Every structure is written in structure tokens, then in C-alpha cells.
Amino acid sequence: GAVVSQHPSRVICKSGTSVKIECRSLDFQATTMFWYRQFPKQSLMLMATSNEGSKATYEQGVEKDKFLINHASLTLSTLTVTSAHPEDSSFYICSARDMSSYNEQFFGPGTRLTVL
Amino acid sequence: AQRVTQPEKLLSVFKGAPVELKCNYSYSGSPELFWYVQYSRQRLQLLLRHISRESIKGFTADLNKGETSFHLKKPFAQEEDSAMYYCALSPPGSARQLTFGSGTQLTVLP
């Protein structure tokens, strides 16, 4: 299957700083990528849909100024957590939709964010 | 709004026993239903989708529109089936946006 990578896999930052997480589709082009958040022992919650060349669509309750998404190319989407606070600590997972594979979503390995 | 319910957080069965992971959904329409699996220390991956009517690794799932259920079944569980299983729903025409259930941790005992 197609491969999606995330970088970094783990990041620790101080409160008030910004953190950027990258999501790349390695062997296919993805016009649509998705960003999820997963709290410990809970399910994945869709945060936003990232569309190449246009603005992201955010789910209700997700602050777009807090979680900046950029999808500047067909293989890269970035999520920037701005002015991070301890409550932003979570596991962030991206997925990319492969149109050549029945629109299947392929998931990245996730990024563990810890805000001190 | 759509919702996916997996009533069992934990499920343990012995090797060779049948296993059924329950999934119920609420959506006013005809969504696509999926089962995703996450093995220990691995990423989430698609197990099967209702539209394909396929059997993967011995697992099957039948969409029951009357009961709004999409239970995952396997007649003879194997130890390597131990994993976290998520049921997910995607509304038609939604660019495959997924709504996940809370997941069921399946443990197959030797």
C-alpha cells in the first residue's frame, strides 16, 4: 500500500511556542489530507481536511488560528500548533487520500506532542 | 451528525474461538462503513470496507441497514488478530471524511 510519513514522531516544547508537524505522501499524490487528534485511550477525532492549493476545512470546535494547516504541494501538508499550551498535548495523526486506490486513506504513524 | 458506537472497549477470546466486534452507527442516509485495525506499535490501516464485500484475514462484516450495524466477525480467532479495531463511517460525497468509533481492543488468548 501507499506510504505516509510524519515528522517529527515526537516533540516536546515549552508553553507558548509553536510546533510544526509535517505529513508527506511518499509514493502517491494526495490532493486531500486529513488531520486527526487522538487523546490517550480514545478514538481519532477529525480536526480538519486539508486540500492542496486551497484553505483547509476545520471541524466544529477546532480553532483555525490555533491549528494552522498548509497544503502547498500534492505530497506535503503541515500542521502548526501555534502558541502551544499543555492542553494541546496529544497524539496527532495525518492521513492522505489516494485517488488511484479507491480514495482509500493511508495513515501516518502519528506525532506525539508534549507541551510543558 | 453522524455517530459510530463500539460498545466494547475490551474483548478477550481464546484462540480458535469465534469473535464478533460490534459496531452501530447513526446517519440519515447511506454511508460507507469501514473497519480499521491498529496492531501494536503500528499505524492505523484499513481492514475492510462494506462496499467491497470482501473477507480480509478471515474477517467479514455485513452492513445491516435495518439495525444500522456493521459488526466485524471471524469464525476462528488467531493470536495475531490481537489489536485495536476501529469502526468508521464516511458520508457519501464527503471526500472520505471519516468518523471513528471509540475502538475495541481485541486480545486473543493462547
Side-chain angles (χ1 to χ4, degrees), chain B:
Chain B
Q2 60 265 26
R3 188 181 180 90
V4 178
T5 302
Q6 292 179 250
E8 304 141 327
K9 281 196 170 184
L10 302 170
L11 182 63
S12 294
V13 300
F14 284 102
K15 175 183 174 182
V19 62
E20 180 180 68
L21 288 81
K22 292 184 167 51
C23 171
N24 288 90
Y25 67 92
S26 62
Y27 181 76
S28 55
S30 297
E32 289 190 71
L33 275 298
F34 306 83
W35 276 99
Y36 282 83
V37 61
Q38 188 169 27
Y39 300 102
S40 180
R41 299 184 182 182
Q42 294 187 28
R43 67 189 67 194
L44 200 64
Q45 58 184 285
L46 178 65
L47 180 62
L48 53 80
R49 68 194 93 191
H50 91 271
I51 201 167
S52 301
R53 292 179 172 269
E54 56 200 346
S55 173
I56 303 293
K57 298 183 179 182
F59 285 97
T60 58
D62 291 320
L63 178 60
N64 186 321
K65 292 185 178 181
E67 296 183 358
T68 59
S69 67
F70 188 55
H71 303 327
L72 183 68
K73 301 177 184 179
K74 184 169 182 176
F76 307 103
Q78 303 299 314
E79 289 181 69
E80 54 265 30
D81 296 328
S82 296
M84 190 71 169
Y85 291 81
Y86 292 98
C87 182
L89 173 157
S90 177
S94 65
R96 284 292 172 90
Q97 286 184 340
L98 293 169
T99 297
F100 284 89
S102 54
T104 298
Q105 178 67 50
L106 173 66
T107 301
V108 181
L109 304 167

Side-chain angles (χ1 to χ4, degrees), chain A residues 5 10 17 21 50 62 72-73 91 96 103:
Chain A
S5 70
R10 188 183 297 264
T17 60
I21 302 170
S50 171
V62 178
S73 79
F91 197 57
N103 285 326

